[in-house]
Amino acid sequence: MSQVVSCQPNCEGQPALAFDNVRIDRGGQTILDRVSFTVPKGAVVAVLGPSGAGKSTLMHAITGELCPAAGSITIFGQPIDYSNMGLMSLRCGIGVLLQGSGLLSDLTVAENIALPLRVHTALDAALIGRLVDLKLNAVGLRSARDLYPRELSGGMARRVAFARALALDPPLMLYDEPLTGLDPIATGVIVELIDNLNRIMGMTSIVITHHVKESLKIADQVLVIANGGIAFSGTPAALAASTDPLLRQFLDGKADGPIAFDAGRRPTVEETA
Amino acid sequence: MRAFLVAIGETGWFLLTILRASGPRRDFLPDLLAQIYSVAVRSLPIIAVGGAFVGLVLTLQGYRTLASYGATNSVSTMLGLALYRELGPVLTALLFIGRAGSSMAAELGLMKATDQIASLSLMAIDPIAKTVVPRFWAAVIGMPLLCGFFCAFAILAGYLEAVYALGLDAGFFWAGLQNSVDLYDDFVVAFVKSAVFGLLGALMATHTGFNAEPTIEGTSVATTHAVVNGSLLVLVFNFILSALFFKS
Amino acid sequence: MKANQARLDIAVGAFLLLAFATLMALAVASTNGRHNLSVEQVQLSARFSNIGELRIRAPVKIGGVTVGEVATVELDRESYEALVRIKVDSTVAIPADSSIGIYTAGLLGDRYLGISPGGDPESLKDGDEILFTQSAVVLEQLISKFLFNGQDDKEADQTPKSETEQK
């Protein structure tokens, strides 16, 4: 039952991620519509947007948890195969860092990081131990090897989850709110790790976050999701120079604007691509 | 009514999922042993104490009633048959569900609320195979063993009370047991019942825990349902099994 | 971490061993230990006109010692007799002219089969039938026997008296 699943897709010359006119429904409501964008290999993409706009929905669509009602999603040129085997090999190739870090509470740090290696590879314990040390080293937590998750601070737990997500050397990394709830130093550490590891390990990273300033520092491409679709897709510089009222409200952190302070009012917003 | 049928269907489906996910896995044995410790070994104190006091009170009450028929030497017969046929499996199951069933549901609910289940499935690891299956089999294996401990402590406590406190003869005590308790019809059936109760308790606990709402409230609701539904299922199936097994 | 693992393994191992030991002890000390697994058995049969409350798995005893059990009970549709098949420990040689009867354990207890061995040097083999049988004593028949016998005695007492009186 434990098979070595192919985790390195054949991806010459293909964009890492491509959404083509995707519509995603959930519970009878359309969350996202007419979503089209491509992410080139090796890029760091920041996905910004107001709360509840559909950023997590986008993530669920990429990991195959949600099937698009219309349009197509391709990862490294391959459309998503929604069968059990297909999803398994898809998820082996995507490293995900969830907001709650999701470390198993009855395993030590080292055992947590070793888990995907134990399940998906036939490597022996000694080799897995070395790989675990490697990943821990990459996030700067060699000393936490034998601690339990309850003994870690929030920032440390998140870094361990980061190391675990890197365990199988995935070509695509997804970060769901990686900077939430961290102090400024821990935030800086995570941001630097995302940027450096993306470059060193040749990955493509998609960072879903509220932290506009920090993420724009390392992003090559920015997507802003608002009002059920893409409100902006381009470089950080273009975003900073944008005059769109919705984007300006979001960037400047204004309480009132196209997105009403009083949720009852319905503003009009035009989409810019 | 319809909701009830849907619930039964869902639970049955969950059982099939657990059985299907029980295939050999690299970490199956270590996970199973860890769960046997957490679920069965740590329930031993409550089972032992419970068993001892049930044995004491059964012997006491039995003695009182049998004394009016002049049949006090049948106390051990009554103790043995009552324990093996009904009280051993049922009381062990209820104690077990209260202790281990609630903790299984709470652990699974908490894992759901803290994204552990989600991250397992995002790592392409079947969360049911990793979290539910070891707990399930630990309960099915552990429950008959705990029932054995319960009966042993009950009989031992009953023996000590009968011989040293009530003045009955030790030889008659053991002879009474050996003459009336059948190896297959009473003893083995008790452990078959226990295994079934372990399955039911584990099924309810893991089902409610795994499918809990990923919130704190959801976890506490799941724990309550695990204990209540599990206990009720045990009592219902006890009747069904008794009717099946004790035909003559 | 490794020490924790070792402690856990020891605890679980001890628990499992203790549990099995407890089960074995219980089986030996508190049950009748009736197991037919290691014992070779032969099947014999016997016919009775009335088996009373004899049940399947009832013990078969010789001299009060259990040597087997009742396997099946059927009705012979033609002779209206109860055909009882029993399994007996094959190491016990039962003479061919032995008789079998249905007895009661205690005053109002369960029925069991008792074999009284005969003197035939030949023993019964697998599939043989025990020919000499004694049916169960049914309580109602016993009581009615006493009732009717009592009546007969009274009549018998009266007739000779009247005869002597006449003389």
Side-chain angles (χ1 to χ4, degrees):
Chain A
M1 250 204 131
S2 80
Q3 315 166 338
V4 179
V5 190
S6 89
C7 292
Q8 301 298 331
N10 192 356
C11 46
E12 298 306 316
Q14 300 278 3
L17 183 62
F19 269 57
D20 185 19
N21 210 14
V22 170
R23 185 178 100 233
I24 302 176
D25 297 340
R26 202 181 209 173
Q29 282 193 324
T30 300
I31 312 282
L32 294 173
D33 201 0
R34 282 175 282 163
V35 175
S36 296
F37 63 89
T38 58
V39 174
K41 253 176 46 168
V44 174
V45 178
V47 177
L48 310 173
S51 307
K55 305 193 295 293
S56 290
T57 310
L58 192 71
M59 190 194 80
H60 292 319
I62 299 175
T63 59
E65 289 167 288
L66 283 178
C67 192
S72 72
I73 305 175
T74 57
I75 301 187
F76 292 110
Q78 304 284 337
I80 297 182
D81 175 8
Y82 290 95
S83 69
N84 268 340
M85 289 304 305
L87 284 180
M88 250 183 77
S89 62
L90 171 73
R91 288 172 185 177
C92 273
I94 303 181
V96 183
L97 180 55
L98 291 174
Q99 198 170 339
S101 76
L103 298 175
L104 295 184
S105 33
D106 45 351
L107 299 181
T108 62
V109 161
E111 288 167 345
N112 261 293
I113 298 175
L115 186 59
L117 291 168
R118 287 182 71 86
V119 173
H120 293 302
T121 71
L123 301 172
D124 65 33
L127 192 49
I128 290 183
R130 300 254 293 272
L131 282 171
V132 166
D133 281 334
L134 208 64
K135 308 297 174 185
L136 275 176
N137 218 8
V139 300
L141 278 181
R142 274 295 284 276
S143 54
R145 204 175 191 285
D146 294 324
L147 295 178
Y148 281 92
R150 59 176 171 272
E151 297 166 332
L152 302 172
S153 71
M156 290 167 74
R158 201 159 287 171
R159 278 194 278 164
V160 171
F162 198 156
R164 185 179 66 174
L166 293 172
L168 293 172
D169 292 324
L172 178 63
M173 278 293 295
L174 285 178
Y175 303 87
D176 190 2
E177 310 278 1
L179 307 174
T180 308
L182 298 180
D183 63 74
I185 297 180
T187 305
V189 168
I190 299 277
V191 167
E192 208 176 281
L193 280 176
I194 294 177
D195 192 29
N196 286 342
L197 290 174
N198 190 68
R199 213 173 352 100
I200 295 171
M201 297 177 67
M203 305 187 293
T204 309
S205 300
I206 301 183
V207 184
I208 299 171
T209 180
H210 289 145
H211 291 65
V212 178
K213 245 186 350 163
E214 290 85 352
S215 52
L216 287 187
K217 262 193 298 194
I218 57 168
D220 302 314
Q221 185 180 343
V222 181
L223 286 174
V224 178
I225 302 204
N227 293 319
I230 305 236
F232 175 87
S233 169
T235 61
L239 180 62
S242 164
T243 53
D244 180 271
L246 172 64
L247 297 175
R248 281 264 62 97
Q249 180 192 8
F250 186 69
L251 287 174
D252 301 335
K254 292 220 172 58
D256 213 1
I259 294 189
F261 176 74
D262 177 354
R265 274 175 46 202
R266 294 202 163 281
T268 54
V269 174
E270 63 267 58
E271 276 179 24
T272 33
Chain B
M1 185 64 197
R2 185 158 171 271
F4 180 65
L5 289 176
V6 167
I8 293 185
E10 274 181 5
T11 314
W13 198 246
F14 195 71
L15 178 62
L16 286 176
T17 313
I18 296 178
L19 294 176
R20 229 179 341 170
S22 298
R25 233 177 10 103
R26 186 166 179 175
D27 277 329
F28 183 68
L29 207 54
D31 286 347
L32 180 65
L33 290 179
Q35 285 309 317
I36 291 183
Y37 179 79
S38 144
V39 149
V41 176
R42 289 177 60 188
S43 300
L44 193 51
I46 182 178
I47 296 293
V49 172
F53 279 94
V54 166
L56 288 176
V57 79
L58 265 182
T59 310
L60 184 64
Q61 293 287 25
Y63 180 84
R64 282 203 193 133
T65 308
L66 290 170
S68 60
Y69 293 101
T72 51
N73 278 325
S74 298
V75 157
S76 61
T77 302
M78 186 218 71
L79 179 68
L81 289 180
L83 270 179
Y84 286 122
R85 284 187 182 170
E86 296 299 329
L87 293 181
V90 172
L91 289 180
T92 310
L94 293 179
L95 287 173
F96 179 83
I97 287 174
R99 196 225 149 261
S102 67
S103 88
M104 280 197 282
E107 280 167 15
L108 287 173
L110 218 55
M111 289 173 89
K112 192 114 191 264
T114 54
D115 274 341
Q116 290 178 42
I117 306 275
S119 45
L120 278 176
S121 70
L122 286 176
M123 285 193 286
I125 298 175
D126 182 6
I128 292 190
K130 179 76 183 162
T131 61
V132 171
V133 164
R135 288 177 165 84
F136 179 83
W137 291 110
V140 172
I141 292 174
M143 180 78 96
L145 303 180
L146 287 173
C147 179
F149 280 117
F150 186 90
C151 295
F153 276 96
I155 289 178
L156 206 57
Y159 165 75
L160 292 173
E161 183 182 359
V163 172
Y164 293 108
L166 300 172
L168 297 178
D169 182 76
F172 280 138
F173 186 90
W174 295 112
L177 275 178
Q178 288 168 3
N179 282 336
S180 52
V181 176
D182 186 83
L183 182 65
Y184 291 114
D185 288 339
D186 299 319
F187 188 74
V188 170
V189 165
F191 298 108
V192 168
K193 275 178 151 189
S194 280
V196 172
F197 295 159
L199 185 149
L200 291 171
L203 180 61
M204 280 320 297
T206 52
H207 179 62
T208 53
F210 192 79
N211 293 320
E213 290 288 320
T215 59
I216 296 179
E217 195 186 71
T219 306
S220 86
V221 163
T223 313
T224 313
H225 281 171
V227 174
V228 169
N229 293 350
S231 303
L232 283 179
L233 267 185
V234 162
L235 293 174
V236 167
F237 271 80
N238 179 49
F239 171 70
I240 294 175
L241 289 176
S242 291
L244 277 177
F245 278 121
F246 297 116
K247 258 190 288 217
S248 50
Chain C
M1 176 198 84
K2 293 217 175 69
N4 253 350
Q5 187 68 28
R7 261 180 55 204
L8 189 136
D9 288 341
I10 291 176
V12 173
F15 173 80
L16 291 174
L17 281 176
L18 205 59
F20 282 122
T22 306
L23 289 179
M24 287 300 119
L26 279 179
V28 167
S30 68
T31 75
N32 60 15
R34 172 178 66 84
H35 65 103
N36 302 320
L37 302 166
S38 52
V39 179
E40 280 268 318
Q41 297 185 307
V42 292
Q43 235 195 28
L44 302 172
S45 56
R47 291 166 192 276
F48 300 89
S49 59
N50 194 328
I51 60 167
E53 302 88 32
L54 186 70
R55 290 180 293 146
I56 298 179
R57 306 272 210 92
V60 176
K61 306 188 184 187
I62 298 182
V65 178
T66 305
V67 294
E69 63 176 19
V70 174
T72 63
V73 173
E74 298 159 6
L75 178 68
D76 185 331
R77 303 294 163 99
E78 283 157 23
S79 63
Y80 293 104
E81 281 176 322
L83 177 62
V84 177
R85 290 186 216 280
I86 62 175
K87 289 197 214 146
V88 176
D89 184 357
S90 60
T91 59
V92 176
I94 303 176
D97 62 345
S98 305
S99 65
I100 188 168
I102 302 181
Y103 300 98
T104 312
L107 205 52
L108 293 168
D110 290 332
R111 302 280 191 176
Y112 68 95
L113 289 172
I115 298 180
S116 308
D120 198 327
E122 260 198 44
S123 309
L124 293 172
K125 293 182 293 293
D126 190 34
D128 283 348
E129 181 177 328
I130 303 179
L131 298 168
F132 305 105
T133 65
Q134 181 184 318
S135 294
V137 175
V138 178
L139 199 59
E140 296 90 303
Q141 293 177 348
L142 198 61
I143 292 177
S144 68
K145 234 206 273 182
F146 275 122
L147 286 176
F148 289 127
N149 263 351
Q151 286 228 337
D152 283 345
D153 276 344
K154 273 211 217 145
E155 288 175 4
D157 279 342
Q158 285 175 0
T159 9
K161 253 203 190 153
S162 52
E163 280 180 2
T164 45
E165 272 179 12
Q166 276 183 4
K167 283 195 183 140

